Amino acid sequence: MKKSLSLLLTLCASLLLASQVHAQKFDELGKTPQMGWNSWNKFGCNINEQLIRETADAMVKTGMKEAGYQYVNIDDCWHGERDALGNPQPNAERFPSGMKALADYVHSKGLKLGIYSDVGDKTCGGHFGSRGHEYQDAKTYADWGIDYVKYDWCNAKGLNPEGAYSTMRDAIKASGRPMLFSMCEWGDNKPWEWAGNISHSWRTTGDIYLCWDCEFGHGSWSSWGVLRILDKQSGLRKYSGPGHWNDMDMLEVGNGLTEAEDRSHFSIWAIMDSPLISGNDLRKMTESARKILTNKDVIAINQDSLGVQALRVMGGGKVEVYVKPLANDEWAVMFLNRADEASRFEFKWADHYINDDLSSRVLEASKTQYTWLDLWSKAKGTTAQNFNQVIPAHDVVIYRLTPKK
Ligand code: GLA
């Protein structure tokens, strides 16, 4: 009798344990939006270890590393074939030294290496995905010294998204190596509602397209310009925060937008707390693109410890106004000219009472006067003077407001 009771107790205890086997993600990662570079936007499948090494070198040389960029991420098409035991292997022609040697090189520069896989049996580019190999893949990535896993949603074939992404989250945790988990599910199944404990960021939209305001159709799916992606963030800010960010996709800065558009694109991604993953050729970028990507004042808005995404307070016209509460009672304020022509815009600070329910913060310049710094021109002033400027087409003005002592 005693024996069967203890057997029953053991059984209950194991059942209880089994229900808790879901690991947590690595909580110490992604406390501010991740910053780095990814190969896809500029190079697509045209990648090899030399590009990754040279990019790591360039990240240091251009001041990107110093500005806070950390991850060098290899996207789709690094793959060879699985070996006889099913272990993933890189393409031997394009990555002849192997991933471990590449990770060692990137680490020797004080940077981190990221890799890409997919929930399905094939990636979007048609290479092997991780379906059925999740634990094996995560363990191999850990052995290679990988620090970041981007996990795509092609060929999901009826998979339950929460289940598929939790499995990889658990596999990463079980590998024992802290790897940032970046979900790339395009917002199809509203990941913001269920992925807070699964990943460090989730894509909110389909892929970015190199244009200011367009939709580029690919048949069953579309890519989106800068403004289109911005507009798709509506209603999502409450889901974003330290450790779990709304990802607006990799940056197109330096890939062919105008300078004003690059500036706006970067300011928008920064104030919206999106991960800042550059997607240009760091080895050959223009001084203008370099200056935009390394603007420390704009980056500081994105990396602010409060981690509250911006709120749109005026929209519908040519110029939109976004505000973002920052730590220490500061604010970021962005005036964005969406129009194809220069637009004069006046904003009387004292006329606005901006109440942000999410952060329980109020911006009321009639009560608290602020000094401001223009994060692009570096001009300074106070909210005692109204904002009254002509903003060039597709350009932006972004301020940091500090309560006046
Ligand atoms: C999808 C993703 C992109 C990129 C490609 C690679 O489209 O959304 O970011 O990773 O796959 O094939």
Side-chain angles (χ1 to χ4, degrees), residues 40 75-76 116 124-125 150 152 184 186 203 207 250:
W40 184 253
D75 208 277
D76 205 350
Y116 161 99
C124 299
K150 170 176 168 180
D152 216 338
C184 178
W186 320 315
R203 283 270 300 277
D207 292 359
M250 286 110 43

